[in-house]
Amino acid sequence: MEIKLMRNILGANDEIAAQNRKIFAERGVIVMNLMGSPGSGKTTLLEKTLTRLADKIKIAVIEGDLFTAKDAERIEQAGVDVIQINTAGGCHLDASMIQKACVSLNLDAIDLLIVENVGNLVCPAEFDIGENFKAVVLSITEGDDKPLKYPLIFKESEVTLLNKIDLLPFTNFNLQSAREDLTTIHPTIKIFETSCTKDTGLDDWEAWLLGKVAR
Ligand code: MG
Ligand code: ZN
């Protein structure tokens, strides 16, 4: 019963996601679904990314948040168009939320749309929003066991950012085993080691992201 209900919800979501994907393709917008735990550093990474790319490509952001507009206010400072979605306790964004938010965006004027999903390693991975690719931020302080504990999000994501890499010496995070687990779950996954406080790995991340938009 419960399984059937979940299947119906995901089926309906997939239909709207397909509509979104078609619209994004027609308008020439590349969409990144940015996921990760609360506190993994998604918004700070986003701020750094926007600062670097703002004069190179046109970017807009959709911010998913449970209740507040705190992240959207931060992103607005970077001078890009930002749409806030409050899920009122909902733990993920779905395709219809994105469809509604896009009504307020001039998609023709955008090269890259970044969607910061609700902080959560579980169901954001289950809900297609019509993105071109998913990215997951895993911070060093969360522990190296997370890929094996939450495999779906790493399987679904084209890229993982091992963030707060500057904190590595202060934790027991095993970088080698985390990389091995990621590659076991998803053999073609792209991995970046980043720090937004030390500006580590951001040149490579920027170049990769620009490559996705140019394609
Ligand atoms: Mg955030
Ligand atoms: Zn959820």
Side-chain angles (χ1 to χ4, degrees):
M1 184 80 164
E2 214 166 278
I3 291 168
K4 192 170 171 226
L5 180 65
M6 192 61 191
R7 212 177 282 150
N8 289 344
I9 290 170
L10 287 173
N13 183 74
D14 282 350
E15 272 177 39
I16 301 169
Q19 292 169 14
N20 290 352
R21 189 165 281 118
K22 186 163 175 281
I23 291 166
F24 293 141
E26 285 167 1
R27 305 292 194 87
V29 186
I30 297 295
V31 182
M32 172 169 73
N33 184 356
L34 183 64
M35 307 177 295
S37 297
S40 57
K42 295 184 295 302
T43 311
T44 304
L45 176 81
L46 195 44
E47 287 173 315
K48 285 281 181 184
T49 305
L50 294 174
T51 307
R52 285 165 165 263
L53 294 184
D55 59 348
K56 299 188 175 105
I57 53 173
K58 188 84 178 77
I59 307 176
V61 173
I62 294 176
E63 272 295 335
D65 201 294
L66 295 170
F67 299 106
T68 75
K70 285 182 190 300
D71 288 355
E73 286 158 10
R74 284 170 61 186
I75 296 308
E76 228 166 19
Q77 301 294 316
V80 304
D81 287 339
V82 52
I83 309 287
Q84 173 74 50
I85 299 174
N86 279 127
T87 59
C91 45
H92 60 268
L93 296 176
D94 66 27
S96 72
M97 294 176 195
I98 299 303
Q99 193 164 62
K100 284 181 200 123
C102 283
V103 172
S104 328
L105 287 173
N106 178 10
L107 292 175
D108 290 324
I110 298 167
D111 304 310
L112 175 65
L113 175 62
I114 304 177
V115 179
E116 183 183 341
N117 218 309
V118 178
N120 181 347
L121 284 180
V122 187
C123 42
E126 292 171 6
F127 284 80
D128 186 0
I129 56 173
E131 74 280 305
N132 293 85
F133 64 98
K134 295 180 171 80
V136 59
V137 181
L138 172 65
S139 63
I140 295 306
T141 49
E142 290 171 69
D144 54 24
D145 57 342
K146 295 305 172 290
L148 290 184
K149 286 179 102 167
Y150 302 93
L152 183 65
I153 200 162
F154 297 97
K155 204 180 165 110
E156 287 282 322
S157 295
E158 205 169 306
V159 55
T160 293
L161 295 112
L162 295 174
N163 197 30
K164 308 189 188 181
I165 196 73
D166 55 304
L167 299 181
L168 196 60
F170 309 104
T171 69
N172 59 2
F173 191 100
N174 186 328
L175 197 54
Q176 197 193 334
S177 76
R179 279 181 162 274
E180 282 168 10
D181 291 344
L182 285 168
T183 309
T184 303
I185 293 163
H186 187 167
T188 60
I189 199 161
K190 180 82 189 161
I191 303 170
F192 291 102
E193 296 174 10
T194 55
S195 162
C196 294
T197 53
K198 307 283 184 209
D199 273 353
T200 311
L202 298 181
D203 288 343
D204 291 343
W205 163 242
E206 177 189 336
W208 186 83
L209 204 49
L210 279 175
K212 296 297 286 183
V213 175
R215 211 168 296 156

